[in-house]
Amino acid sequence: VGPPGYGGGLRGTQILAEGAGSVVDLSGLTDFLDSGNRPSSTLQFKDGGQVLAGNLTTIIGLSLRAGPGQVLSLPSLRSFEHSAYAGAGDVYLSAEGPGSVLDLPALTTITGPNGDWENLYIQALGGGRVNLRAVTQIVGPPGYGGGLRGTQILADGTGSIVDLSALSDFTDTPGKGASSLKADHGGALTLSNPTTLSGVDVTVLASGTITAGTLILDSTSTLSGSGTMTLNLVSSGRIGVGTSPGILTLNGNYTQTSTGILNIELGGTALGEQFDQLNITGGVTLAGALAVTRINGFTPAPADAFRILTFGSRSGDFLTRSGLDLGNGSTLGAFYDATGLTLSLTAPGGSPHAGDLDPTFGQTGKVTTGIGNADDRGRAVAVQPDGRIVIAGESFNGSNNDIAVARYNV
């Protein structure tokens, strides 16, 4: 037990077995509770040392760290809590380096930090592996104060794996939580079917991968990056493709709900380098918003085309689109075909899209017709079957309004 203590300095119990033949035998230990103010306790072994703690079932405030070539296994651990109070600092569950393994096969619940600016780091680095295959729930408690806090899960480096294959819910406190899931540099995260995220930011970068059955993002969660995910994605949150810009690949189906937002950046005509693409191998079901942002002062030319979304099949459409107005009467159109969505100033074949002025009509798409010698007003417009345009209205003759009708050949 770590008592509450006094003052604001760090304190803790450090358990270390270092060197071949070194053993710390804690086989009778069932609970490790460092619940004081600003605890800093750790359990680790390296260079051939061993820590025996096979009956440990509950941990509060203890970091577990496996080094290169070491296997730290706690087969009876069922509950892990970052801290009981605010002021605990950072706590780690980590496997760091080639051959390192942190194995917690019976752990089912993880509770994140309470205090401001505190984090629980769950990380597999440099070829390490963290086995949390029985964890079903990760929770960020309401906490104290107004500062951010969170649970940060990271797989970074070739062969690095965080196994959360039973995880059904990962929830953090709205407005206070800053939790994340991240795979980078060949690291891999394995999730469940389904896994629901609330208040969690997901990032997949470089050759990182995230695998799940179905990943569900609520409206407080985000996903960004330029790596690969093998899963079905249901998003009520915000999707930010690329790393300004990039290509995000989803091997599965994509559903965007009415509160979902797909962010796309345009900064040039080079795919993945200057503009974003969301690549879906399965089907898409669309609603919500498409939000396009131009970066680096870029303005599309008439012949430019941006394939921002690819898919195997599609149903639905974005309910709103923003960022398509280029000014000066020019607007990017959104054109679907059987396998994707393209943004461009002209439709396939070169004709103007709906909403653009036709430069072949009158002067740059505009015609001004004077009927009388005073005010003329159009009140109604119709397009005849032969394509001619008819405008009906009135022309002021100096004392009264006369009926005025004009027809235009197009």
Side-chain angles (χ1 to χ4, degrees), residues 241 246-255 262 264 271-272 275-286 290 306-315 318 335-343:
V241 177
I247 300 173
L248 181 61
T249 298
L250 173 63
N251 294 320
N253 301 319
Y254 175 61
T255 299
L262 175 60
I264 295 292
L271 172 61
F275 75 92
D276 292 328
Q277 183 184 83
L278 178 59
N279 179 20
I280 310 294
T281 63
V284 299
T285 301
L286 299 179
L290 171 65
F306 309 95
R307 189 76 161 172
I308 63 167
L309 178 63
T310 64
F311 44 71
S313 62
R314 176 182 68 93
S315 64
F318 298 107
F335 302 102
Y336 288 102
D337 56 38
T339 60
L341 171 62
T342 299
L343 302 181

Side-chain angles (χ1 to χ4, degrees), residues 14-18 21-27 43-45 49-53:
Q14 317 305 328
I15 302 171
L16 171 65
E18 183 174 4
S22 301
V23 178
V24 177
D25 189 349
L26 296 169
S27 55
L43 186 157
Q44 59 182 324
F45 57 91
Q50 286 185 288
V51 176
L52 306 179

